[in-house]
Amino acid sequence: MRAVIEPPRRILFLTTQQPHTIKAEWPYFQNYDLPLLLNKRGALVALKSWMDEDILTALYQYDVVTFLWCNEYYKHPKAFFAFLDKVDKLIKTSPYTPHVVPPLIINDTNLVRWNADKRYLLDMRQEGFVIPKTRLVDPQKYTVAELQELVRKFHQSGPVVLKPSMSASSTLTRRIADTSALSADDMTFLELCTSGGLQSSLLIQEFEPAILTGEYSFVFVGPRLTHVMVKSPQRGDIRVQDEYGGSAKLADLLGIRLETVQVVQAVFESLQRRFAPKHAEEIGYREIGYVRIDGLITDDRPFVLMEIEAIEPHLWLETGKGISRMLSLLMDSS
């Protein structure tokens, strides 16, 4: 009997920019080495922008489609959501035959759509998880003076953080040092908000001092917590990303309070319930492939949820943690 030779796995990484313009350089690009590692395992890997006119047709040329390289989607919010809607419609209406099989989308478009806008934090608060004191507003409904007054009423004095509801890597994130005495630069930022410069809603959040000592990123690949990173901002800043002088290091999971890990696990389980398939045989669906849960640990709160990243998060796979699971996820998912 002849051995059955399986065809190579065809994997597509969706991008926003045209692939040839992307510089996959460490440390300023996330998940940069996955295509090469998958190629070494025999996969056929391609990169293609979700903004290409032929993208929907192209999807059916692949077994797996992932958003792991989909940086800067937030710069085109209407187009991105429209793309997700078209993918959903395509998969639901396409005939399923042995010759026409929709690709597996990782992560699922329902999770990606929900995760693209930070208003999801309000959903998590409603489920009982602790988030910073937060208000979501449409800044274009206000004049600069009205938005200034709204910020002051939110927090009479002292620091607050303003950020777009759709962004990444702290883009357009601003810390106001004192709401009772806004600076000229603060007022310029409010003017940007009211004029539509954010292209999204505005989050007004209470400043959490614990960010200065480090934000924890809990990385899940498949259903398991694989590793934890501690991200610290540069002195005098609140942004923890590399491009702003921040740093990250592996944390000892055994050194983290059990109560904290339990809360993080509960957040992950909440996501599983929220995005579980209605039918196990639903075409094009797989359970959560990867997610990063970011938050702070304080003396009186085991975990303050800051963000959930399930689209194109930096997962620090280059540390060696979680990489084998990620490669298996993309190569063997079915």
Side-chain angles (χ1 to χ4, degrees), residues 11 99 119 169 181-182 252 307-308:
I11 303 172
H99 305 291
R119 65 182 63 240
S169 299
L182 269 63
D252 179 6
E307 287 193 355
I308 295 170

Side-chain angles (χ1 to χ4, degrees), residues 115-134:
N115 188 230
D117 193 309
K118 291 182 178 62
R119 65 182 63 240
Y120 65 74
L121 286 172
L122 304 183
D123 292 338
M124 300 308 289
R125 181 176 66 187
Q126 196 168 24
E127 288 199 31
F129 296 105
V130 177
I131 68 171
K133 179 185 175 184
T134 299

Side-chain angles (χ1 to χ4, degrees), residues 42 59 83 295-296 322:
L59 292 181
F83 166 70
L296 306 175

